[in-house]
Amino acid sequence: LNGMQKIMKKTYLFTPGPTQIPPDVVLAEASPMIHHRTSEFSEIFSNVSEDLKYIFQTRKGEVFTFASSGTGGMEACVVNSMSRGDKAIVVSGGKFGERWAQICETFGVNVVNVDVENGKAVDPDVLDDTIKKEKDVKAVFVTLSETSTGVVHDIEGIAKVVKGHNLLLVVDAISGIGVHPLMMDDWGIDIAVTGSQKGCMLPPGLAFVCVAQSAWASIEKSDLPKYYWSFKKMQKALSNKTTAYTPAITLIMAAGKALSMIREEGIENVWSRHAKLAHATREGIKALGLELFAGDASGNVLTSVKAPEGINIDSAIKKLRDETGVTITGGQDELKGKMFRIGHMGYVNEFDIVLAISAVEKCLHENGCKIELGKGVSKVQEILVG
Ligand SMILES: *Cc1c(COP(=O)(O)O)cnc(C)c1O
């Protein structure tokens, strides 16, 4: 790169986390530090906690804010709701579904996997059959948006099955919240978790765990080891408008701004904006003659695309990032080299999608892929204008 390109380079994140952050949120995070045992912080924190209830669509549940990445919040869900020797059904079908199983196994919870083919959504009837076949199941762990494959699972349908058997339902909504509907109260979800750096338009560093009243019987009984992650301690602190330990103060200030933006736009409008942008992205990709990795199961968090033949997709993506700042991602683990993913969650608008698709065109074209330049962009424009 020449000097000017280096100095002027912009970063365009189309990654499935972290995501782009609105300037006002960046400014909020740059606020001077305040002390957390003050009425000033308590007011900010209780507003954030209320706004979090709104994005989880709960009135009666509570949302606990931990200083950690999303995975910390997942671990908190397991250690607070389960006991040693309990049996849990985990819906796999990607890296993040598998993470539930790994966390459960780490703490001595017995795991029954419902294996779902990569790129497919789980059939709630298959889950129903598994619950019937297994005896003494305590809980079902699922993922709203499986970020490794781009699949969105039918949580409403899954919840009907799980509630029909009176089991605990725990949802990893880390990339799904603020993109796809998740109705904590209406669907009867017991515990759901998200992280700050996906649809919430925040930097990484916060995990938000929503706990319904219905989860407390299991929480009271849970005997797995926990100290920092204790929901009971968090609940007590929340009733005093604070956290149990030093919160990530400026991240919470930033959350105040980001969540109020979501509230102002209206969560239904946020969902439909994502649906429209995702639709345009998928159609743009198809117009280039490429194939969606997750087909009909594709969610609105990201667009996963099968890598075209004869191209080293990972090095092509790396070159694009290094030269232009446009950042998309490849596949993880066994999907490495087989696909690429365009994230479009959070602070994303129509022209971001035009830019992302034009960058994909450039990247494929420069690496010897036979595509017609502009064909994807023109399809995207047609959809977004129309
Ligand atoms: C990003 C993500 C995680 C992991 O979150 P970290 O913040 O990296 O710990 C877990 N599940 C899903 C579905 C995700 O998208």
Side-chain angles (χ1 to χ4, degrees), residues 16-17 68-72 74 96 99 143 145-147 172-176 195 197-198:
S68 80
S69 83
T71 305
M74 293 172 76
F96 295 111
R99 188 163 299 176
T143 314
S145 158
E146 175 50 73
T147 319
D172 168 358
I174 294 178
S175 71
Q197 80 277 24
K198 311 268 170 126

Side-chain angles (χ1 to χ4, degrees), residues 12 85 114 124 139 143 150 162 165-166 182 188 196 198 228 249 267 284-285 308 311 383:
Y12 304 94
V114 174
T143 314
V162 175
H165 293 277
N166 216 3
L182 182 93
S196 50
K198 311 268 170 126
Y228 179 74
I249 297 168
I267 193 85
I285 285 296
I311 182 175
I383 288 168

